[in-house]
Amino acid sequence: MDEFQKYRNFILSEGVTVRQLQLKLLEIFKYFKKICEENNLTYWCGGGTMLGAVRHKGFIPWDDDLDVFLPRKDYERLYEIWNQVADTSHYVLVRTDKKVNYHHAAMNLVDVRTTYVNRHSENEDIYHGIYIDVIPFEGCPNSKVERALQIYHSIMFSVFNVQRLPDNQGSLLRLPTKILLSLVQSPQSRYKIWKRHQDKMTQYDFFTAKYVKETITSFKGLFRLYDRKCFDTVDADFEGIKVKIPAGYDHYMKRVYGDYMNMPKDLDMSTRYGVVKFINLNEPYIKFRGIHYLTQ
């Protein structure tokens, strides 16, 4: 057993290990990749998935999610065409809208023939399947004043779109989030607010901008600017397949992770995976309605 096998063997829920979940995420990702390639959509692996590709040529051994990024124009195009080009009996592309809230600011590509019940949404009537995160990247204005306004719009969008207290963002952000949500409790009013701020923060084209950035990210991440050429894509190995990562991955990951090739020691897995309530790799979530979700 190698030094990382204990993390891959960690049981998340109902006997499902980290590695078993990773392999299901890989299946979903391969389908996402196929759709992007067939429809000339630009994507790249992001976050821990990018780090895994560079450092491990696959998943980080303890990672339980998979992140992909698209320029905003391609992100919206993917959502627009999904139901026409994809097998929606197997995979659905979902996002928060006027009717449904996923408590997540980006889109999710969900395998509806599986079950993954997250504690923060266990009483929501949504697609509770295993999913990968599909996240937009924005163009950024040249003006410092307009950049500051884009950050403001991003924060307001996140508060009223996600509509829950932020995880792992520090206590200083929880109080203002709680206050804002208490002041605006109507779902219709919250929708109008986040939709207006989304329109403002997404008005700069990724492909023609000098600088680009994440708007759906951590609070610190909102202040990171990158040269757009950093996100020309190159091939990398990931779990035996070729995937796209930014050509400037070294610059990006040094800013996000610091010494990203340095491995952390002795991770506490028990606290890391407290968010998942129930997983089943082989049966659809609808089978567990009223049992493991929508129980109240």
Side-chain angles (χ1 to χ4, degrees):
M1 180 183 295
D2 66 40
E3 60 179 313
F4 302 122
Q5 197 60 39
K6 64 179 180 179
Y7 300 124
R8 298 187 185 99
N9 290 341
F10 181 81
I11 295 176
L12 296 168
S13 175
E14 307 299 316
V16 176
T17 67
V18 169
R19 185 57 180 169
Q20 288 171 326
L21 178 60
Q22 288 177 350
L23 294 176
K24 183 59 69 173
L25 294 171
L26 183 62
E27 285 182 24
I28 302 171
F29 171 66
K30 286 179 178 178
Y31 191 75
F32 162 86
K33 178 174 177 287
K34 172 179 176 290
I35 294 295
C36 286
E37 291 171 349
E38 290 176 349
N39 292 277
N40 298 313
L41 300 175
T42 298
Y43 85 90
W44 61 87
C45 296
T49 309
M50 184 196 309
L51 176 55
V54 173
R55 194 170 68 189
H56 303 274
K57 298 188 183 302
F59 285 98
I60 297 172
W62 49 87
D63 220 356
D64 69 334
D65 63 3
L66 193 151
D67 298 327
V68 290
F69 286 88
L70 295 91
R72 171 64 70 169
K73 185 183 294 183
D74 286 355
Y75 176 87
E76 297 295 345
R77 177 64 178 158
L78 179 69
Y79 186 70
E80 178 184 328
I81 67 173
W82 187 264
N83 289 346
Q84 285 74 53
V85 301
D87 176 9
T88 54
S89 67
H90 193 165
Y91 297 110
V92 296
L93 188 64
V94 300
R95 68 198 297 186
T96 291
D97 58 21
K98 191 173 184 178
K99 296 180 180 179
V100 182
N101 194 299
Y102 283 85
H103 301 291
H104 188 277
M107 295 194 296
N108 298 138
L109 178 53
V110 185
D111 182 341
V112 296
R113 299 192 295 194
T114 64
T115 304
Y116 187 98
V117 180
N118 201 311
R119 292 190 185 281
H120 67 57
S121 56
E122 63 181 289
N123 285 303
E124 302 282 352
D125 190 7
I126 60 175
Y127 293 96
H128 287 281
I130 294 169
Y131 61 88
I132 65 171
D133 292 318
V134 182
I135 307 167
F137 230 83
E138 314 289 356
C140 188
N142 293 327
S143 161
K144 290 184 179 180
V145 173
E146 290 179 339
R147 288 179 200 165
L149 285 172
Q150 189 180 41
I151 291 171
Y152 163 71
H153 292 307
S154 301
I155 293 170
M156 296 298 286
F157 165 79
S158 180
V159 169
F160 288 102
N161 179 276
V162 178
Q163 297 183 28
R164 64 182 174 90
L165 299 183
D167 296 326
N168 306 316
Q169 298 287 335
S171 58
L172 288 178
L173 290 178
R174 293 180 68 84
L175 180 58
T177 300
K178 187 175 183 179
I179 291 172
L180 285 170
L181 291 176
S182 68
L183 292 174
V184 183
Q185 298 188 19
S186 162
Q188 293 80 9
S189 297
R190 289 179 175 183
Y191 167 76
K192 290 178 181 178
I193 291 172
W194 72 250
K195 189 68 170 62
R196 183 169 64 249
H197 286 290
Q198 177 181 262
D199 292 342
K200 294 289 187 181
M201 80 180 188
T202 63
Q203 62 184 301
Y204 307 99
D205 179 59
F206 173 92
F207 291 102
T208 58
K210 182 178 180 180
Y211 300 106
V212 296
K213 66 179 298 184
E214 296 169 70
T215 53
I216 296 175
T217 182
S218 67
F219 184 70
K220 289 181 180 179
L222 293 175
F223 295 88
R224 299 188 188 111
L225 281 181
Y226 306 94
D227 191 294
R228 203 221 55 84
K229 291 183 179 178
C230 180
F231 294 93
D232 291 339
T233 59
V234 296
D235 286 336
D237 294 319
F238 187 87
E239 299 291 344
I241 62 173
K242 293 292 184 182
V243 302
K244 298 296 184 182
I245 65 171
Y249 68 84
D250 181 67
H251 170 72
Y252 174 86
M253 289 199 292
K254 281 179 177 175
R255 293 195 63 190
V256 175
Y257 300 112
D259 182 9
Y260 61 88
M261 295 301 286
N262 185 34
M263 300 290 294
K265 304 293 184 182
D266 298 323
L267 293 173
D268 183 358
M269 300 291 282
S270 62
T271 58
R272 185 175 176 86
Y273 297 108
V275 297
V276 58
K277 179 182 178 183
F278 181 80
I279 302 176
N280 189 299
L281 301 177
N282 303 306
E283 295 183 282
Y285 66 94
I286 55 173
K287 179 176 179 178
F288 304 103
R289 182 186 179 100
I291 301 172
H292 293 296
Y293 74 98
L294 287 181
T295 57
Q296 293 182 8

